[in-house]
């Protein structure tokens, strides 16, 4: 099973940044769920490490932190669960809420950002049932996300002074309404900001996506280049980083390289590869690094449409 990760800038900024959405060799890797540890409970040496551990080379460009798995919890605030690193059971929570105080992660986030990587927050997840009852609730939630994770201000910021670079929608359960309103509200809040913010989504393999059909409407490349309001949007091929990372869909590294290369040569909307997840990739002989090196070798810039082979 291969997913697609769609990247879109939520606001514009003129100065150059290390992360460049126009490139074809970007790699996004989810972090936060200790997927390897969940599948290999006795091999603690390969359990998920702190986020900064995975920022020590140039392999990964984007880290979606997974997951914010409750939209409206105690005290009206969301909840995040980052497995063995920070969660509401093992870590302190803000008074009257189930929102874990993960301020110790602030230094990890800023360290990765200082190396030119972007760090976003992924909403949803496979076990989450999330969504909105109406547009007003979606607007309120967008303001909450902006205040506690992005460029706003709040006394309940789980990552302390760290400011994330955007949000990712991994909606696999719950309601499907009002996501367009939510996304547009986040974009509105980010407009004119002093930094660039990103909105990404990981639709399910069946297209159009059940929850995000209104947001991601149309066939992938055609949608990216013709239908999407943002014509600079990029599509990433998504895949498990190990055979134990998902029930199906794993491709051995050479096959994944071939798939990525074929997409790189075929579609100008191709932006790179997305993997689930960091712990699995590292335990699987640095699957992430092998894919990154392959993407770089194929060329990060420039695109030539393939010669048409259809009969005249």
């Amino acid at each position: 099973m291969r997913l697609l990760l769609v990247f879109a800038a939520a606001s514009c900024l003129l100065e150059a940044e290390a992360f460049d959405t126009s490139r074809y060799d970007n790699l996004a890797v989810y972090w936060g769920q200790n997927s390897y540890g969940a599948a290999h409970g006795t091999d603690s040496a390969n359990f998920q490490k702190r986020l900064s551990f995975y920022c020590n080379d140039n392999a990964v460009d984007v880290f979606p932190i997974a997951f914010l798995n409750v939209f409206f919890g105690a005290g009206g605030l969301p909840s995040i669960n980052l497995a063995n690193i920070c969660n509401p059971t093992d870590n302190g929570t803000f008074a009257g809420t189930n929102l874990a105080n993960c301020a110790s992660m602030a230094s990890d986030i800023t360290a990765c950002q200082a190396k030119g990587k972007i760090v976003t927050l992924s909403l949803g997840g496979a076990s989450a049932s999330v969504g909105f009852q109406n547009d007003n609730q979606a607007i309120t939630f967008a303001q909450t996300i902006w205040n506690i994770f992005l460029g706003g201000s709040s006394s309940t910021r789980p990552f302390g002074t760290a400011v994330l670079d955007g949000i990712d929608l991994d909606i696999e359960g719950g309601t499907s309404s009002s996501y367009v309103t939510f996304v547009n509200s986040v974009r509105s809040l980010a407009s004119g900001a002093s930094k660039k913010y990103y909105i990404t989504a990981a639709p399910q393999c069946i297209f159009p996506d059940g929850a995000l059909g209104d947001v991601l409407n149309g066939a992938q490349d055609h949608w990216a280049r013709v239908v999407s309001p943002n014509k600079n949007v990029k599509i990433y091929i998504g895949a498990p980083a190990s055979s134990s990372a998902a029930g199906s869909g794993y491709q051995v590294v050479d096959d994944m390289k071939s798939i990525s290369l074929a997409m790189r040569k075929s579609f100008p909307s191709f932006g790179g590869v997305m993997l689930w997840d960091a712990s699995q990739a590292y335990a699987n002989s640095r699957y992430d690094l092998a894919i990154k090196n392959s993407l770089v070798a194929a060329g990060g810039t420039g695109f030539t449409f393939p010669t048409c082979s259809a009969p005249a």
Side-chain angles (χ1 to χ4, degrees), residues 290-301:
I291 297 301
K292 177 65 172 184
N293 288 339
S294 176
L295 291 170
V296 170
T301 61

Side-chain angles (χ1 to χ4, degrees), residues 107-122:
S107 60
D108 292 73
I109 293 167
T110 56
C112 292
Q113 291 171 327
K115 295 177 180 179
K117 305 172 188 300
I118 67 169
V119 183
T120 65
L121 179 66
S122 186

Side-chain angles (χ1 to χ4, degrees), residues 132-142 177-182 185:
F132 310 108
Q133 296 178 1
N134 51 54
D135 284 354
N136 287 338
Q137 194 177 49
I139 293 170
T140 298
F141 187 63
S177 63
S178 297
Y179 279 101
V180 171
T181 299
F182 170 70
S185 297

Side-chain angles (χ1 to χ4, degrees), residues 239-255:
S242 171
S243 59
S244 63
S248 62
Y250 173 64
Q251 306 290 323
V252 297
V253 70
D254 286 342
D255 288 349

Side-chain angles (χ1 to χ4, degrees), residues 10-303:
S11 65
C12 296
L13 192 64
L14 295 179
E15 60 257 31
E17 292 184 319
F19 176 65
D20 183 355
T21 57
S22 70
R23 297 187 64 86
Y24 298 90
D25 57 359
N26 284 316
L27 181 66
V29 179
Y30 280 83
W31 174 92
Q33 286 300 292
N34 188 28
S35 174
Y36 182 86
H40 305 272
T42 60
D43 187 11
S44 59
N46 285 311
F47 282 10
Q48 173 175 267
K49 309 296 192 298
R50 293 183 65 93
L51 179 63
S52 56
F53 174 82
Y54 302 99
C55 295
N56 288 325
D57 60 29
N58 295 325
V60 183
D61 303 288
V62 183
F63 286 99
I65 294 178
F67 289 110
L68 185 151
N69 59 330
V70 176
F71 282 11
F72 303 99
L77 290 183
S79 181
I80 56 176
N81 190 323
L82 309 180
N84 61 325
I85 302 299
C86 187
N87 63 76
T89 301
D90 300 322
N91 299 85
T93 57
F94 292 98
T97 79
N98 289 324
L99 181 60
N101 187 339
C102 307
S104 62
M105 280 187 56
S107 60
D108 292 73
I109 293 167
T110 56
C112 292
Q113 291 171 327
K115 295 177 180 179
K117 305 172 188 300
I118 67 169
V119 183
T120 65
L121 179 66
S122 186
L123 315 182
S127 62
S129 181
V130 294
F132 310 108
Q133 296 178 1
N134 51 54
D135 284 354
N136 287 338
Q137 194 177 49
I139 293 170
T140 298
F141 187 63
Q143 186 69 62
T144 298
I145 294 299
W146 177 257
N147 287 343
I148 68 177
F149 293 107
L150 303 177
S153 60
S154 172
S155 60
T156 54
R157 288 186 65 91
F159 301 131
T161 57
V163 179
L164 297 181
D165 298 297
I167 57 168
D168 170 71
L169 299 174
D170 183 14
I171 310 302
E172 302 183 45
T175 63
S176 60
S177 63
S178 297
Y179 279 101
V180 171
T181 299
F182 170 70
V183 167
N184 286 339
S185 297
V186 173
R187 289 176 63 89
S188 178
L189 290 165
S191 63
S194 60
K195 63 175 283 181
K196 182 178 287 186
Y197 291 91
Y198 301 86
I199 298 174
T200 75
Q204 299 169 51
C205 284
I206 299 174
F207 196 92
D209 178 80
L212 301 175
D214 290 337
V215 178
L216 309 173
N217 184 28
Q220 292 102 349
D221 186 64
H222 176 79
W223 173 83
R225 296 194 291 124
V226 179
V227 179
S228 172
N230 182 349
K231 300 304 185 290
N232 295 319
V233 71
K234 289 289 189 175
I235 295 180
Y236 289 44
I237 298 173
S242 171
S243 59
S244 63
S248 62
Y250 173 64
Q251 306 290 323
V252 297
V253 70
D254 286 342
D255 288 349
M256 190 62 197
K257 289 178 181 179
S258 297
I259 292 169
S260 302
L261 180 60
M263 296 300 100
R264 163 68 176 93
K265 292 180 176 180
S266 300
F267 302 110
S269 63
F270 176 81
V273 171
M274 173 271 284
L275 299 176
W276 176 268
D277 70 342
S279 64
Q280 294 277 5
Y282 267 63
N284 189 16
S285 303
R286 287 302 306 274
Y287 189 91
D288 60 313
L289 185 59
I291 297 301
K292 177 65 172 184
N293 288 339
S294 176
L295 291 170
V296 170
T301 61
F303 181 84

